[in-house]
Every structure is written in structure tokens, then in C-alpha cells.
Amino acid sequence: MSPLTLLPFIVLIGAMFLMTRSAKKKQQQAADMRNQMQPGSGIRTIGGMYATVKEVSDDTVLLDAGPGVELLFAKNAIGAVLTDDEYNRIVHGIEHDLKSDSDVVPDDASSLTDPADADESADEAAAASDDKSVDLGKKGAPDEDAVQADEPEAQQAEADEEPKKTDGDSDAKK
């Protein structure tokens, strides 16, 4: 056999070796992460549940998922050990912000205006809405177009009175 015919087999064996090596490396990192768990650490299970570690044994982990809820999981079921900031952000919605409080922009503009001005403008808007209702129809006596417009409505009302058939109903004889 020539070396040229063996080349594809050598490349295939080399690729398989590299893939198994990277998979073993990932498994080792996951095992190290699980071994570094301590009581009080926030974790995410492979199922997506967030909890706090209560006790760690050789193969199992006791988790505190809420008030009075303790769950026993296998160590292999732990997907990630989270930092305190990340756990608080996800579970409790607490953002750890390194910026000063003076840079915070309000969600609405109400705090940017003078409260007295806001009360006056609200009173003016309420008074304006009470003055009259808005009529979007034509003013004056009904003309020929309006009478014709009423005819389709009358036809529609008659059509509504007739019973409508559904897909299951049929007048055909069987």
C-alpha cells in the first residue's frame, strides 16, 4: 500500500483523537467546578432550576430552592456554579451597579418637571375633555349619501337575523 492511500485514515484517527481530548477537557472542567461548590453558593441545574447549595457530599448535593423547599440532586445534575452577583441578578433581580447613583436616568419624565406644573396641566387636560365630545360624523341634515350608507347596515341587520350554518350543518339529504 502506498502512503497516499493511508493518509485519509491517519487524518481521521487524528481528528477523533482531538475531539475526544477536547471532550475530556470539558468534562474535567465541569468536575472541577462541581468540586468547588460550597454551602451558600448559587447554582443552576441542568434542568434550569436556580437554587442555593445547603450541603455537599461525595455524589449528591442538598439544595435550598426556597423557603422550606430542600431538594437532593446528584452532583452531575449541576450545570453551573454562579457568582453571587450573577445569582442575585437572575434570581432576585438585584443589579449590582458600579456606577454612581447620580447617573441614574428616571423611567419617566415626571421627576424632571415641577410638580405644581404637572398638576396644573393635568387639570387643564381634564377640563378640556369635559367641555364637549368630539363628533367625527357629518354635520347637518342627512343627505343622499348618508341614506345610502344606512341601507347596507339594514341589509346587514337582516342577514344577522337569519341563522348561519356552520361546517357541520348541512341541508343535504343523506
Side-chain angles (χ1 to χ4, degrees):
M1 285 172 84
S2 70
L4 190 57
T5 56
L6 293 176
L7 185 63
F9 294 113
I10 294 171
V11 170
L12 184 62
I13 291 171
M16 289 174 49
F17 174 74
L18 291 175
M19 285 190 290
T20 57
R21 188 174 141 209
S22 67
K24 284 183 181 181
K25 190 175 184 181
K26 286 181 183 178
Q27 287 177 350
Q28 184 62 38
Q29 287 175 345
D32 291 342
M33 179 251 333
R34 290 181 186 117
N35 289 333
Q36 292 175 356
M37 279 189 300
Q38 298 174 358
S41 300
I43 58 99
R44 181 184 64 235
T45 65
I46 58 174
M49 184 183 70
Y50 293 91
T52 305
V53 175
K54 193 167 185 180
E55 292 179 16
V56 180
S57 66
D58 292 339
D59 295 332
T60 60
V61 179
L62 184 64
L63 302 177
D64 183 19
V69 180
E70 293 180 354
L71 305 167
L72 186 64
F73 273 80
K75 267 192 177 179
N76 292 340
I78 305 303
V81 177
L82 307 172
T83 63
D84 290 338
D85 291 340
E86 185 178 11
Y87 181 77
N88 288 332
R89 180 182 58 81
I90 293 170
V91 175
H92 303 294
I94 299 171
E95 291 286 334
H96 180 68
D97 204 6
L98 298 176
K99 297 179 182 178
S100 66
D101 291 337
S102 63
D103 295 340
V104 174
V105 177
D107 289 340
D108 60 352
S110 63
S111 63
L112 301 175
T113 60
D114 185 26
D117 293 342
D119 291 340
E120 291 173 7
S121 63
D123 292 340
E124 291 172 5
S129 66
D130 292 339
D131 288 347
K132 63 177 183 176
S133 62
V134 177
D135 184 19
L136 300 176
K138 294 182 180 179
K139 293 187 178 184
D143 57 350
E144 190 176 25
D145 292 336
V147 172
Q148 290 176 355
D150 290 340
E151 290 176 1
E153 292 175 7
Q155 292 173 356
Q156 180 67 27
E158 290 174 9
D160 288 343
E161 292 174 6
E162 296 178 19
K164 294 185 180 182
K165 296 179 182 175
T166 61
D167 292 344
D169 296 338
S170 173
D171 288 338
K173 293 183 180 179
K174 296 181 182 179

